[in-house]
PDB file of all heavy atoms in Angstrom:
ATOM      1  N   ILE A 377     101.959 101.831 107.578  1.00 98.00           N
ATOM      2  CA  ILE A 377     101.152 100.764 106.986  1.00 98.00           C
ATOM      3  C   ILE A 377      99.839 100.682 107.751  1.00 98.00           C
ATOM      4  O   ILE A 377      99.829 100.669 108.985  1.00 98.00           O
ATOM      5  CB  ILE A 377     101.893  99.414 107.052  1.00 98.00           C
ATOM      6  CG1 ILE A 377     103.095  99.433 106.100  1.00 98.00           C
ATOM      7  CG2 ILE A 377     100.953  98.260 106.704  1.00 98.00           C
ATOM      8  CD1 ILE A 377     103.960  98.191 106.189  1.00 98.00           C
ATOM      9  N   LEU A 381      94.442  96.925 106.423  1.00 98.00           N
ATOM     10  CA  LEU A 381      94.409  96.653 104.984  1.00 98.00           C
ATOM     11  C   LEU A 381      95.477  95.648 104.554  1.00 98.00           C
ATOM     12  O   LEU A 381      95.286  94.906 103.597  1.00 98.00           O
ATOM     13  CB  LEU A 381      94.609  97.956 104.193  1.00 98.00           C
ATOM     14  CG  LEU A 381      93.518  99.023 104.357  1.00 98.00           C
ATOM     15  CD1 LEU A 381      93.892 100.281 103.564  1.00 98.00           C
ATOM     16  CD2 LEU A 381      92.174  98.489 103.893  1.00 98.00           C
ATOM     17  N   CYS A 382      96.619  95.633 105.251  1.00 98.00           N
ATOM     18  CA  CYS A 382      97.732  94.762 104.862  1.00 98.00           C
ATOM     19  C   CYS A 382      97.288  93.299 104.863  1.00 98.00           C
ATOM     20  O   CYS A 382      96.685  92.821 105.818  1.00 98.00           O
ATOM     21  CB  CYS A 382      98.895  94.953 105.830  1.00 98.00           C
ATOM     22  SG  CYS A 382     100.284  93.836 105.530  1.00 98.00           S
ATOM     23  N   THR A 383      97.624  92.603 103.771  1.00 98.00           N
ATOM     24  CA  THR A 383      97.291  91.179 103.654  1.00 98.00           C
ATOM     25  C   THR A 383      98.490  90.291 103.940  1.00 98.00           C
ATOM     26  O   THR A 383      98.383  89.065 103.854  1.00 98.00           O
ATOM     27  CB  THR A 383      96.774  90.868 102.244  1.00 98.00           C
ATOM     28  OG1 THR A 383      97.811  91.168 101.295  1.00 98.00           O
ATOM     29  CG2 THR A 383      95.533  91.680 101.912  1.00 98.00           C
ATOM     30  N   GLY A 384      99.644  90.910 104.223  1.00 98.00           N
ATOM     31  CA  GLY A 384     100.832  90.118 104.538  1.00 98.00           C
ATOM     32  C   GLY A 384     101.448  89.423 103.347  1.00 98.00           C
ATOM     33  O   GLY A 384     102.074  88.372 103.503  1.00 98.00           O
ATOM     34  N   CYS A 385     101.332  90.034 102.181  1.00 98.00           N
ATOM     35  CA  CYS A 385     101.862  89.390 100.963  1.00 98.00           C
ATOM     36  C   CYS A 385     103.384  89.407 100.911  1.00 98.00           C
ATOM     37  O   CYS A 385     103.986  88.693 100.118  1.00 98.00           O
ATOM     38  CB  CYS A 385     101.294  90.062  99.728  1.00 98.00           C
ATOM     39  SG  CYS A 385     101.954  91.707  99.424  1.00 98.00           S
ATOM     40  N   ALA A 386     104.009  90.265 101.711  1.00 98.00           N
ATOM     41  CA  ALA A 386     105.470  90.368 101.828  1.00 98.00           C
ATOM     42  C   ALA A 386     106.151  91.011 100.622  1.00 98.00           C
ATOM     43  O   ALA A 386     107.372  90.957 100.500  1.00 98.00           O
ATOM     44  CB  ALA A 386     106.107  89.009 102.132  1.00 98.00           C
ATOM     45  N   LEU A 387     105.379  91.621  99.764  1.00 98.00           N
ATOM     46  CA  LEU A 387     105.991  92.298  98.613  1.00 98.00           C
ATOM     47  C   LEU A 387     106.875  93.460  99.066  1.00 98.00           C
ATOM     48  O   LEU A 387     108.026  93.605  98.624  1.00 98.00           O
ATOM     49  CB  LEU A 387     104.887  92.804  97.685  1.00 98.00           C
ATOM     50  CG  LEU A 387     105.297  93.256  96.295  1.00 98.00           C
ATOM     51  CD1 LEU A 387     105.845  92.080  95.501  1.00 98.00           C
ATOM     52  CD2 LEU A 387     104.126  93.880  95.561  1.00 98.00           C
ATOM     53  N   CYS A 388     106.359  94.270  99.969  1.00 98.00           N
ATOM     54  CA  CYS A 388     107.128  95.437 100.396  1.00 98.00           C
ATOM     55  C   CYS A 388     108.355  95.026 101.208  1.00 98.00           C
ATOM     56  O   CYS A 388     109.418  95.638 101.075  1.00 98.00           O
ATOM     57  CB  CYS A 388     106.249  96.397 101.199  1.00 98.00           C
ATOM     58  SG  CYS A 388     105.567  95.715 102.722  1.00 98.00           S
ATOM     59  N   THR A 389     108.223  94.005 102.024  1.00 98.00           N
ATOM     60  CA  THR A 389     109.362  93.589 102.846  1.00 98.00           C
ATOM     61  C   THR A 389     110.444  92.955 101.991  1.00 98.00           C
ATOM     62  O   THR A 389     111.629  93.064 102.305  1.00 98.00           O
ATOM     63  CB  THR A 389     108.913  92.623 103.949  1.00 98.00           C
ATOM     64  OG1 THR A 389     108.255  91.494 103.368  1.00 98.00           O
ATOM     65  CG2 THR A 389     107.962  93.309 104.903  1.00 98.00           C
ATOM     66  N   MET A 398     108.432  91.883 108.133  1.00 98.00           N
ATOM     67  CA  MET A 398     107.277  91.095 108.525  1.00 98.00           C
ATOM     68  C   MET A 398     107.328  90.874 110.032  1.00 98.00           C
ATOM     69  O   MET A 398     108.371  90.529 110.592  1.00 98.00           O
ATOM     70  CB  MET A 398     107.274  89.741 107.815  1.00 98.00           C
ATOM     71  CG  MET A 398     107.098  89.813 106.303  1.00 98.00           C
ATOM     72  SD  MET A 398     105.569  90.636 105.789  1.00 98.00           S
ATOM     73  CE  MET A 398     104.342  89.456 106.392  1.00 98.00           C
ATOM     74  N   ALA A 403     103.097  93.180 107.611  1.00 98.00           N
ATOM     75  CA  ALA A 403     104.280  94.023 107.467  1.00 98.00           C
ATOM     76  C   ALA A 403     104.200  95.196 108.432  1.00 98.00           C
ATOM     77  O   ALA A 403     103.113  95.725 108.688  1.00 98.00           O
ATOM     78  CB  ALA A 403     104.382  94.530 106.039  1.00 98.00           C
ATOM     79  N   CYS A 425     101.834  97.838  96.230  1.00 98.00           N
ATOM     80  CA  CYS A 425     101.074  97.143  97.291  1.00 98.00           C
ATOM     81  C   CYS A 425      99.669  96.805  96.793  1.00 98.00           C
ATOM     82  O   CYS A 425      98.890  97.701  96.471  1.00 98.00           O
ATOM     83  CB  CYS A 425     100.988  98.018  98.541  1.00 98.00           C
ATOM     84  SG  CYS A 425      99.917  97.300  99.825  1.00 98.00           S
ATOM     85  N   PRO A 426      99.339  95.527  96.737  1.00 98.00           N
ATOM     86  CA  PRO A 426      98.017  95.135  96.195  1.00 98.00           C
ATOM     87  C   PRO A 426      96.855  95.542  97.089  1.00 98.00           C
ATOM     88  O   PRO A 426      95.720  95.598  96.630  1.00 98.00           O
ATOM     89  CB  PRO A 426      98.135  93.609  96.082  1.00 98.00           C
ATOM     90  CG  PRO A 426      99.198  93.227  97.069  1.00 98.00           C
ATOM     91  CD  PRO A 426     100.161  94.377  97.111  1.00 98.00           C
ATOM     92  N   ALA A 427      97.150  95.842  98.345  1.00 98.00           N
ATOM     93  CA  ALA A 427      96.091  96.204  99.285  1.00 98.00           C
ATOM     94  C   ALA A 427      95.997  97.710  99.500  1.00 98.00           C
ATOM     95  O   ALA A 427      95.141  98.181 100.265  1.00 98.00           O
ATOM     96  CB  ALA A 427      96.340  95.513 100.628  1.00 98.00           C
ATOM     97  N   ALA A 429      97.885  99.515 101.201  1.00 98.00           N
ATOM     98  CA  ALA A 429      97.992  99.653 102.651  1.00 98.00           C
ATOM     99  C   ALA A 429      99.139 100.554 103.078  1.00 98.00           C
ATOM    100  O   ALA A 429      99.264 100.869 104.265  1.00 98.00           O
ATOM    101  CB  ALA A 429      98.177  98.265 103.283  1.00 98.00           C
ATOM    102  N   ILE A 430     100.002 100.945 102.136  1.00 98.00           N
ATOM    103  CA  ILE A 430     101.172 101.756 102.489  1.00 98.00           C
ATOM    104  C   ILE A 430     100.854 103.220 102.212  1.00 98.00           C
ATOM    105  O   ILE A 430     100.407 103.579 101.115  1.00 98.00           O
ATOM    106  CB  ILE A 430     102.408 101.329 101.683  1.00 98.00           C
ATOM    107  CG1 ILE A 430     102.667  99.823 101.877  1.00 98.00           C
ATOM    108  CG2 ILE A 430     103.630 102.138 102.118  1.00 98.00           C
ATOM    109  CD1 ILE A 430     103.769  99.276 100.983  1.00 98.00           C
TER     110      ILE A 430
HETATM  111  S1  SF4 B 923     102.891  95.030 100.033  1.00 70.36           S
HETATM  112 FE1  SF4 B 923     101.084  95.835 101.128  1.00 70.36          FE
HETATM  113  S2  SF4 B 923      99.776  94.053 101.575  1.00 70.36           S
HETATM  114 FE2  SF4 B 923     101.839  93.283 101.043  1.00 70.36          FE
HETATM  115  S3  SF4 B 923     102.881  93.066 103.022  1.00 70.36           S
HETATM  116 FE3  SF4 B 923     103.396  95.115 102.227  1.00 70.36          FE
HETATM  117  S4  SF4 B 923     101.832  96.502 103.145  1.00 70.36           S
HETATM  118 FE4  SF4 B 923     101.095  94.393 103.362  1.00 70.36          FE
END
Side-chain angles (χ1 to χ4, degrees):
I377 291 175
L381 296 177
C382 175
T383 61
C385 72
L387 193 65
C388 62
T389 57
M398 294 302 293
C425 174
I430 305 173

